[in-house]
Amino acid sequence: MKKIYKNLIPVAAFLLTFGVTSCTGDLDVEPLDPNMSTELSPEGLFNKCYANIAMAGNGGANGDCDIDGIDGGTSGYIRQMWNANELPTDEAINGWGDDGIEQSCFNTYDESHPMLNGYFARLTTGITYCNQYLTVAADHDATMTAEVRFIRALNYYLLMDAFGRVPFAESLGDPVIYSRQEIFNWLENELLTNVEPNLSEAKPKKSSDAGYGRVDKAAAWILLSRLYLNAEVYTGNAQWGKAAEYAKKVMDSTYKLNTNSVNGWSAYQMLFMGDNGETEAAYEAIFPILQDGLTTTSWGTTQFLCAGSFDSDMHANPNNPDATNGLSGQVWGGNRTRPNLIQKFFPNLDAPQVASYDMPAAAGDDRAIFDGIGREINNLDRATFKNGYAVAKFVNFKTDGSSGHDATFMDADFFLFRAAEAYLTYAEAQARLNGGATNAEGASAINALRTRAHASTKANYSLDEILDEWAREFYFEGRRRVDLVRFNKFGGNTDYIWQWKGGTYNGRNFDAYKNIYAIPASQLSTYGNEQNPGY
């Protein structure tokens, strides 16, 4: 049972200093009335900073959304991060008719894109919650304050990665616009000076342990390693050595890869199941975003990742071939793979039409959790869910064969950061320092992941092979665009094409300015009406 988000105070207590407007149709996205008088408590403010990542609002899945003018399910933090970083890439495509979906899948997004506006709003709203805590409760508890500073830094990192220039404020005042270089410098100093030293010691936990769901020093190390891994993109100056240094801190910590399989579920699959906070899978989770079918519900976190990837014809339980995904009736039939993702596991695109629990054996890799029954491997029609193999990675089954606490909502936590990231960051950074191929230590890091997946191993890996390994390990976890940009495989004159890239079935390059998103039109006044180049 997840407890961190209980006793949240009403959202109306917060003064939202960033504008959050226009998201769906003609509606305006606005913060709720900030003038209502509500008693503030440090614990409530603290919880709200975390809860913004897990839930749309204080009422859970069916309650009010913190951002007015966009439904709670669509506005979810993880869902918007996922849409921004998966739908425009070689991994995922979606067939729904929601405003903005096609533009994401076809790389035709612009300043009017409703979901990107929602992503901007969710991140800036989260920053304001953190600033509210730091304004009124910074002296309450040093560790809690460091955690809030970390969450604020994470929000600023994601905002900078997606939109380039950032509306920046450290208090409840009018923001100023920071360049990527300026926000990079601030993030580095903030994490090294004010966050990492004051966080609790790195220690993996299960949901039964105190502090599960709260960040510790390992979270700061992971975010620093990600910042340094992408430093060349953000600032023009590579910092591979620092990326490797902070990744190695995680690898040397007591966080560890889950390598124990249970009752026919692979060690990898256990990371995405309804009891992932209760099994040893939890020891890989550096920052789990808590979900509970009774107490912490959302349409936009693992609920979206599971239900949005299933239809009723899919069956993902190796111990019960009649079961679907561990939920009742939650099969939305939207997100599925593009052929390039399947090709990472089946180079000849000869993946069989079998159930997801039989696909790993055919691929020789436990991570190939795809359903191919009755499916076309190509995305002939974006709107047809069976055009593309389906992903059964996120399920609400538990390793003992049961389903979750509730028939409708997920118990599976979302592991926003997990230790496996450090292994691939370390390997890539070492390869870039080593002329484009891993040294022995870098190869060993990749082989640890491949061994866990019962896949074959090699003595060294090229950069292109490492990019493919990022896809195999982290597909559908909301990071692919970032990796493609870093490898110069996304926007611009690249040598990498996927179906519907640039809006045509056979794929075509699109302009490099689309490596970052447009400033939402409703936010331009904050930027002095200066749009990102190209839009």
Side-chain angles (χ1 to χ4, degrees), residues 229-359:
L229 188 67
N230 294 284
E232 190 171 33
V233 173
Y234 302 146
T235 72
N237 297 311
Q239 299 204 39
W240 311 120
K242 289 184 178 179
E245 175 188 351
Y246 281 92
K248 193 66 164 58
K249 285 178 178 287
V250 176
M251 295 168 65
D252 291 341
S253 75
T254 52
Y255 283 93
K256 61 182 181 180
L257 302 178
N258 182 46
T259 57
N260 295 318
S261 60
V262 176
N263 294 333
W265 300 99
S266 71
Y268 182 78
Q269 175 79 83
M270 287 171 62
L271 300 167
F272 315 101
M273 295 179 65
D275 60 351
N276 58 356
E278 289 71 62
T279 67
E280 291 196 9
Y283 295 150
E284 187 168 330
I286 292 172
F287 190 9
I289 307 305
L290 308 189
Q291 297 288 278
D292 185 285
L294 296 177
T295 63
T296 310
T297 60
S298 169
W299 295 111
T301 309
T302 50
Q303 186 82 8
F304 165 72
L305 297 174
C306 176
S309 299
F310 273 78
D311 67 9
S312 59
D313 295 332
M314 295 168 61
H315 303 285
N317 190 334
N319 302 310
N320 183 358
D322 294 326
T324 304
N325 58 7
L327 297 168
S328 178
Q330 298 300 312
V331 283
W332 306 346
N335 300 314
R336 75 273 190 194
T337 65
R338 303 205 199 206
N340 297 66
L341 177 56
I342 300 300
Q343 200 165 25
K344 303 296 185 281
F345 297 91
F346 296 92
N348 298 318
L349 283 178
D350 55 355
Q353 292 182 309
V354 298
S356 59
Y357 46 77
D358 290 326
M359 194 68 76

Side-chain angles (χ1 to χ4, degrees), residues 132-208:
Q132 177 74 18
Y133 176 91
L134 295 171
T135 297
V136 304
D139 296 331
H140 175 70
D141 180 277
T143 302
M144 290 170 61
T145 294
E147 291 177 48
V148 171
R149 284 183 175 272
F150 172 86
I151 295 169
R152 183 177 64 174
L154 172 64
N155 290 330
Y156 271 127
Y157 169 80
L158 293 173
L159 194 69
M160 176 265 284
D161 175 79
F163 297 98
R165 294 174 297 137
V166 170
F168 180 80
E170 293 188 88
S171 60
L172 296 176
D174 292 334
V176 296
I177 302 304
Y178 267 25
S179 68
R180 269 186 159 178
Q181 180 70 67
E182 289 172 319
I183 198 65
F184 181 97
N185 294 344
W186 178 86
L187 282 167
E188 182 180 32
N189 180 72
E190 176 75 354
L191 291 167
L192 292 175
T193 304
N194 298 318
V195 175
E196 192 270 350
N198 297 310
L199 289 174
S200 59
E201 294 303 314
K203 182 181 179 181
K205 307 167 189 70
K206 292 183 179 180
S207 64
S208 56

